[in-house]
């Protein structure tokens, strides 16, 4: 074989030309373009909400410069990046969304008397008089698409925009500056998100509704999953399709646990077979362009019908979830949700004869034997992050009183490992979780995912409606 013929020419791989452009080529590339500046961009719906959020932040940090970084691209392999997603605090305070979002941007709250002026420092569109638009494979318009000009971004987000190059000059004075590396700012930004504003609540409902459709897609894919080796991937892919079609991405890696894989809490390998007679647990959420995500779990009988032992365990989890819901109202404790669910689970396990102590005894924190099968707490905050408000202090989260506007999951589960000899064989390898997303209202709660069937009879009817058998 002629070696020359196998050599890769500069044009045969999709990477920027290594050689410097000739002067002729460079000037040719700069000319002959029509204007494309957009004058039609309306402010996003989130703008007024993002402004109010910044006002609250500003009032807490008078006289201090605040830098909130969007974060940059992350390499996946060599010259290939992961899909970009900005930091959640940046999204919250800027209102930047989905495909418009700008890698490396920095939101700056600059002290101005008793308040702050806000600037979005960003990498704007590389105009046609630059080389970057055709030579930069990471940011260039001909490689990854067009970004906003400074004016377009300002029109969209209603924030004064500046070129990222100018940030260094701003930072050269001695003004006290905090970034999210500073605990005090990270904690405040996390706690501010504990109660959602109206816009966020609408987005959460939209995320849940998109996720509901994703679960319908998952059911439709069950016959193919049974027929296909590594059928868990078929279900994973079905949900992913919906997340990409209706949203920005998944809110987190989908968990598809068929059979005893459901007993592995963070089973994201999703490379197991899907077998008739087993259950399959799916924990999945669509993240919208606004970056709000749902977090829903449903457990399905692969055959469309629960066996008696599957149904018995399922009903125990179902009752535990009802008890969790009933504990939700303003003024109750966040920890009451877990307590209420765990009481039901512990009593059920005691009634099944698998606990070596009474339910009451097991429920004492220093005993906790039932936790062999319940494994995790039943609630967390949800929003831009699946585990939202993660930096909030214990007194405002784990030990806090519930307040109107909080969005929480209620997600009890039971997991009987396949080698657990304390259970009769027909129960071994069964894992069940039911997870819904609820909003704390003025007098109780609203289950945002109420329309996604939960009761085993309704799950069976839902599957029959979609699969027709
Ligand atoms: N999907 C992660 C969780 O339920 O917390
Ligand atoms: Mn969850
Ligand atoms: Mn979940």
């Amino acid at each position: 074989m002629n070696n020359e013929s196998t050599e890769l020419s500069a044009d045969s791989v999709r990477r920027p030309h290594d050689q410097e452009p000739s002067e002729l080529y460079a000037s040719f590339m700069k000319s002959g373009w029509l204007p494309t500046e957009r004058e039609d961009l309306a402010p996003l719906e989130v703008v007024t909400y993002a402004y109010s959020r910044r006002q609250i932040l500003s009032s807490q940090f008078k006289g201090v410069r605040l830098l909130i970084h969007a974060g940059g691209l992350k390499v996946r392999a060599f010259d290939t990046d992961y899909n970009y997603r900005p930091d959640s605090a940046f999204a919250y305070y800027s209102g930047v969304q989905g495909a418009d979002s700008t890698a490396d941007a920095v939101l700056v709250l600059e002290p101005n008397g008793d308040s702050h002026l806000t600037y979005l420092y960003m990498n704007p569109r590389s105009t046609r008089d630059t080389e970057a638009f055709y030579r930069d494979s990471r940011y260039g318009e001909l490689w990854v698409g067009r970004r906003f000009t400074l004016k377009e971004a300002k029109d969209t987000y209603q924030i004064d925009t500046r070129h990222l190059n100018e940030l260094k000059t701003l930072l050269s004075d001695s003004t006290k500056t905090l970034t999210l590396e500073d605990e005090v700012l990270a904690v405040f930004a996390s706690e501010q998100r504990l109660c959602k504003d109206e816009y966020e609540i609408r987005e959460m409902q939209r995320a849940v509704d998109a996720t509901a459709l994703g679960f319908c897609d998952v059911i439709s894919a069950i016959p193919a999953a049974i027929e296909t080796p590594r059928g868990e991937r078929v279900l994973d892919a079905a949900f992913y399709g919906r997340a990409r079609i209706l949203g920005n991405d998944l809110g987190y890696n989908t968990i598809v646990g068929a059979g005893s894989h459901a007993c592995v809490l963070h089973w994201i390998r999703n490379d197991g077979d899907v077998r008739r007679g087993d259950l399959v647990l799916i924990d999945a959420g669509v993240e919208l362009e606004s970056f709000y995500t749902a977090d829903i779990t449903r457990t399905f009988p692969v055959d469309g019908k629960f066996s008696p032992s599957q149904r018995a365990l399922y009903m125990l989890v179902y009752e535990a979830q009802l008890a969790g819901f009933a504990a939700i109202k303003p003024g109750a404790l966040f920890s009451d949700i877990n307590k209420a669910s765990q009481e039901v689970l512990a009593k059920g396990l005691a009634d099944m004869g698998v606990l070596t102590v009474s339910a009451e005894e097991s429920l004492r924190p220093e005993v906790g034997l039932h936790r062999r099968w319940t494994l995790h707490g039943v609630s967390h905050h949800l929003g831009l992050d699946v585990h939202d408000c993660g930096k909030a202090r214990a007194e405002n989260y784990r030990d806090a009183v519930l307040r109107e506007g909080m969005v929480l999951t209620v997600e009890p589960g039971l997991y009987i490992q396949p080698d657990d000899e304390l259970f009769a064989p027909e129960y071994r390898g069964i894992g069940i979780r039911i997870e819904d997303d609820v909003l704390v209202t003025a007098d109780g709660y609203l289950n945002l995912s109420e329309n996604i069937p939960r009761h085993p009879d309704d799950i069976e009817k839902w599957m029959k409606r979609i699969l027709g058998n």
Side-chain angles (χ1 to χ4, degrees), residues 319-354:
E319 296 293 340
Q321 197 194 30
L322 292 184
F325 289 146
I328 301 177
K329 55 176 176 296
L333 294 173
F334 172 77
S335 57
D336 289 342
I337 309 170
N338 190 50
K339 197 161 161 250
S341 285
Q342 297 290 347
E343 274 173 18
V344 172
L345 294 172
K347 286 195 179 106
L349 289 162
D351 290 346
M352 294 181 90
V354 292

Side-chain angles (χ1 to χ4, degrees), residues 296-340:
I296 302 288
T297 307
R298 289 293 182 266
T299 308
F300 301 98
V302 173
D303 279 339
K305 275 262 172 226
F306 289 91
S307 74
S309 52
Q310 290 167 348
R311 187 176 270 261
L313 277 182
Y314 192 103
M315 282 311 293
L316 185 46
V317 178
Y318 182 83
E319 296 293 340
Q321 197 194 30
L322 292 184
F325 289 146
I328 301 177
K329 55 176 176 296
L333 294 173
F334 172 77
S335 57
D336 289 342
I337 309 170
N338 190 50
K339 197 161 161 250

Side-chain angles (χ1 to χ4, degrees), residues 97-170:
Q97 302 197 345
D100 297 337
S101 59
T102 309
D104 300 321
V106 185
L107 186 72
V108 178
L109 273 71
E110 184 65 9
N112 179 43
D114 244 10
S115 63
H116 290 79
L117 297 172
T118 306
Y119 300 100
L120 183 62
Y121 282 78
M122 55 178 283
N123 270 320
R125 174 182 187 221
S126 308
T127 46
R128 298 296 199 220
D129 54 353
T130 65
E131 282 186 5
F133 82 88
Y134 65 95
R135 293 202 74 206
D136 185 338
S137 65
R138 234 176 161 198
Y139 299 97
E141 192 165 321
L142 300 196
W143 293 87
V144 294
R146 194 185 187 290
R147 291 194 307 270
F148 281 153
T149 63
L150 293 179
K151 179 178 179 302
E152 289 165 349
K154 182 177 176 180
D155 289 347
T156 305
Y157 307 123
Q158 298 290 298
I159 300 173
D160 279 332
T161 45
R162 289 181 173 173
H163 199 293
L164 196 55
N165 291 345
E166 296 172 30
L167 185 58
K168 217 169 161 184
T169 315
L170 180 82

Side-chain angles (χ1 to χ4, degrees), residues 424-452:
E426 64 269 28
Y427 291 103
R428 292 180 197 157
I430 295 180
I432 293 162
R433 178 163 65 257
I434 314 172
E435 178 172 24
D436 284 79
D437 303 339
V438 307
L439 167 70
V440 182
T441 58
D443 54 3
Y445 72 93
L446 174 70
N447 183 354
L448 302 175
S449 42
E450 186 60 39
N451 289 336
I452 309 179

Side-chain angles (χ1 to χ4, degrees), residues 27 38 54 75 79 149 171 268 275 301 365-366 386 411 436 468:
S27 71
R38 296 187 57 183
R54 292 195 298 272
V75 174
D79 59 354
T149 63
L171 301 184
I268 56 170
R275 296 191 184 87
E366 64 276 24
V386 62
E411 49 174 309
D436 284 79

Side-chain angles (χ1 to χ4, degrees), residues 8-30:
L8 294 173
S9 75
D11 284 325
S12 66
V13 283
R14 228 173 43 243
R15 294 178 52 201
H17 298 295
D18 288 333
Q19 73 269 30
E20 285 298 308
S22 68
E23 270 182 42
L24 199 57
Y25 175 61
S27 71
F28 188 56
M29 286 304 279
K30 279 179 191 169

